[in-house]
Amino acid sequence: MQKKTWILNFSVFFLHIFTSSKALDVTQFGAIGDGVTDDSQAFLKAWEAVCSGTGDGQLIVPAGMTFMLQPLKFQGSCRSTPIIVQVLGNLVASSRGNWEGDKDQWILFSDIEGLVVEGNGEINGQGSSWWEHKGSSRPTALKFKSCNNLRLSGLTHVDSAKAHIHINNCNGVSISNLRINAPESSPNTDGIDVAVSSNVIIQDCLIATGDDCIAINSGTSNIRISGIDCGPGHGISIGSLGKDGETASVEDVCVQNCNFRGTTNGARIKTWPGGSGYARRITFSGITLDNVENPIIIDQHYNNGGSEETTDDKSSAVEVSKVVYSNFVGTSKSEYGVDFRCSEAVPCTEIFMKDVKIETASSGLGQVAQGQCLNVRGLECLALSTNMFSSSEFPEQTCMLPQPSVQPNTRPMQDPLWVYGSGGKRLRVFNLVLNSFIFVVLYMF
């Protein structure tokens, strides 16, 4: 009898452990998910609960539902660390005509330590209603500000009014396995923008937009980008830097094993005349090009489409130095594979190239693309060859890994056992475990 009682008590205890998940679901707070009803307030209530420590720090956006949202700010700091937001359903922005509130961004996460945003859902910025108003304020779809140890993965991002994702003032960021899509003609729809952030990894993403696939802006260091499939779009860019006399700083950036397909640029560094500061220790390596208009470009006369008069050299410029290009292969849409347009006042220095094999796409005869250099110290590139150095010794490539940071210790959110029901309110594992233990207890007695 004591043995049976022990088994019964153990069964109840075991059942309690496996069926006491406290993950919160936005539908518990009134979200409808019909794609029409404004679910903003329900999301804010759900966030307030999970941030305050309810729900084991886990918030679910359930599958099979579409939630229409006005601009939202999910603010920290939070009692729970990490905070896990699993997006399994779809989020859709209000159209421009029905927009209410902030036009700087649609969804903002701010001041949250150890934030995880993941899932196989879709974030749709409804950008088509904004694109014709290019000169007006347009919102970035998803922005993270002061979120250290951030992880973002798995989602699909489409049709932002402006940039799709913006990372600002964050340390220790991992971005992976995203799909980002917007029409080639959509203005300023960058895939991922990073500014004033350090120790950032971006890897294994498919990005096709109307602007930069990835842009690394001022205040950044220790950035690693790999496994990016980019195109259409404007390539992977350092900058633009130095606008309106800005003192810029970008250093220790590694871009490797990326593909560019039909893009206007491949590996690009762009700075405005009149700026100051530096962009240094930058490596582009293992790059495949398919009909890219400007495969390798440094432009210190950047003016974002302004008149030629605004590109005249000024007395200052952002200094570009210690840049390595290695193992490039593919085709250029233009006759030039390399285009360095550096400042006369502050020339580019220590530019290294090795195993750069770029042919012109139009010739069809394996014709080697040409190179042109303006104000680059020590580098002759009028005839582009496979080995070009600015000195006799090629520098050791140190594609820097971001410094180790504490990543959120989270259990897998999509283990096959843990499948959310259609309403997202309860786990099917509840019924599985419950039925199993009832059977065992009845059998034992």
Side-chain angles (χ1 to χ4, degrees):
M1 182 67 181
Q2 287 182 339
K3 182 177 180 181
K4 292 183 178 180
T5 302
W6 180 87
I7 292 174
L8 178 61
N9 290 338
F10 178 78
S11 300
V12 172
F13 172 74
F14 195 72
L15 178 64
H16 174 74
I17 291 176
F18 275 85
T19 60
S20 59
S21 174
K22 298 179 182 178
L24 300 181
D25 182 315
V26 294
T27 60
Q28 292 174 288
F29 297 85
I32 303 301
D34 60 5
V36 178
T37 304
D38 183 0
D39 288 318
S40 303
Q41 292 304 311
F43 271 66
L44 290 175
K45 291 176 182 177
W47 174 258
E48 183 178 353
V50 76
C51 187
S52 67
T54 305
D56 291 337
Q58 300 180 51
L59 181 61
I60 309 299
V61 178
M65 307 178 80
T66 298
F67 301 90
M68 195 279 286
L69 302 174
Q70 292 287 351
L72 291 177
K73 294 182 180 180
F74 299 117
Q75 182 71 42
S77 57
C78 294
R79 293 182 61 184
S80 297
T81 300
I83 294 286
I84 305 168
V85 180
Q86 193 178 32
V87 183
L88 303 177
N90 300 327
L91 307 180
V92 61
S94 169
S95 64
R96 183 176 184 271
N98 295 317
W99 193 266
E100 299 175 3
D102 195 345
K103 291 185 179 180
D104 289 333
Q105 65 269 321
W106 172 30
I107 299 173
L108 170 66
F109 289 91
S110 180
D111 300 290
I112 305 160
E113 180 76 23
L115 174 66
V116 178
V117 181
E118 61 184 5
N120 56 9
E122 180 179 280
I123 299 178
N124 188 332
Q126 294 273 69
S128 59
S129 62
W130 297 84
W131 295 332
E132 62 183 278
H133 304 277
K134 183 178 179 180
S136 303
S137 295
R138 289 176 288 139
T140 293
L142 183 61
K143 184 174 182 178
F144 299 91
K145 182 178 180 181
S146 302
C147 293
N148 295 334
N149 300 315
L150 167 68
R151 192 173 81 203
L152 178 63
S153 67
L155 297 168
T156 296
H157 302 254
V158 299
D159 293 349
S160 177
K162 202 173 181 183
H164 287 78
I165 299 168
H166 185 79
I167 308 295
N168 185 271
N169 197 33
C170 299
N171 178 45
V173 179
S174 174
I175 301 174
S176 63
N177 298 300
L178 302 184
R179 299 180 67 94
I180 304 176
N181 291 286
E184 185 175 6
S185 59
S186 58
N188 310 117
T189 53
D190 291 11
I192 304 170
D193 288 346
V194 182
V196 199
S197 297
S198 58
N199 303 312
V200 178
I201 297 174
I202 305 173
Q203 60 187 358
D204 302 329
C205 298
L206 301 176
I207 306 177
T209 69
D211 210 305
D212 295 328
C213 289
I214 299 173
I216 305 301
N217 296 298
S218 184
T220 55
S221 62
N222 289 345
I223 312 295
R224 181 175 181 179
I225 301 169
S226 64
I228 306 301
D229 196 289
C230 172
H234 294 184
I236 295 178
S237 296
I238 310 299
S240 63
L241 306 174
K243 185 177 182 180
D244 298 327
E246 170 200 38
T247 299
S249 63
V250 173
E251 60 186 346
D252 300 322
V253 178
C254 177
V255 180
Q256 59 185 354
N257 303 328
C258 296
N259 301 318
F260 298 96
R261 307 175 192 277
T263 54
T264 56
N265 306 286
R268 176 164 69 157
I269 300 174
K270 50 181 177 176
T271 72
W272 292 76
S276 61
Y278 55 83
R280 64 193 181 194
R281 297 198 298 271
I282 299 166
T283 297
F284 295 94
S285 176
I287 305 299
T288 301
L289 307 157
D290 182 4
N291 200 32
V292 176
E293 189 168 341
N294 299 296
I296 298 174
I297 180 169
I298 299 176
D299 184 5
Q300 287 188 287
H301 304 270
Y302 181 74
N303 68 339
N304 196 26
S307 64
E308 290 297 322
E309 286 75 13
T310 65
T311 66
D312 292 340
D313 262 334
K314 298 186 178 181
S315 59
S316 65
V318 177
E319 181 180 7
V320 178
S321 65
K322 296 180 174 63
V323 184
V324 174
Y325 302 93
S326 70
N327 298 307
F328 276 65
V329 63
T331 57
S332 171
K333 187 177 180 179
S334 69
E335 63 180 303
Y336 293 106
V338 173
D339 187 3
F340 293 145
R341 287 176 270 166
C342 297
S343 166
E344 183 177 357
V346 186
C348 300
T349 60
E350 296 183 84
I351 310 298
F352 299 87
M353 305 187 73
K354 182 179 182 181
D355 294 330
V356 176
K357 303 173 183 179
I358 304 174
E359 300 177 349
T360 57
S362 59
S363 68
L365 301 174
Q367 181 178 338
V368 176
Q370 298 299 299
Q372 58 180 352
C373 297
L374 176 65
N375 300 317
V376 181
R377 288 183 179 171
L379 181 64
E380 297 293 336
C381 61
L382 294 178
L384 181 58
S385 65
T386 60
N387 291 284
M388 298 161 44
F389 311 101
S390 61
S391 70
S392 59
E393 183 178 354
F394 191 73
E396 181 182 355
Q397 288 182 256
T398 58
C399 259
M400 295 191 64
L401 284 170
Q403 297 299 315
S405 60
V406 179
Q407 290 296 321
N409 182 19
T410 63
R411 62 177 176 266
M413 291 297 292
Q414 291 188 267
D415 187 279
L417 183 62
W418 297 86
V419 180
Y420 289 89
S422 59
K425 297 181 181 179
R426 301 182 67 183
L427 297 172
R428 288 179 184 157
V429 72
F430 180 96
N431 291 331
L432 173 64
V433 177
L434 179 61
N435 292 334
S436 298
F437 272 98
I438 289 174
F439 175 81
V440 170
V441 171
L442 290 176
Y443 177 79
M444 294 298 297
F445 282 88

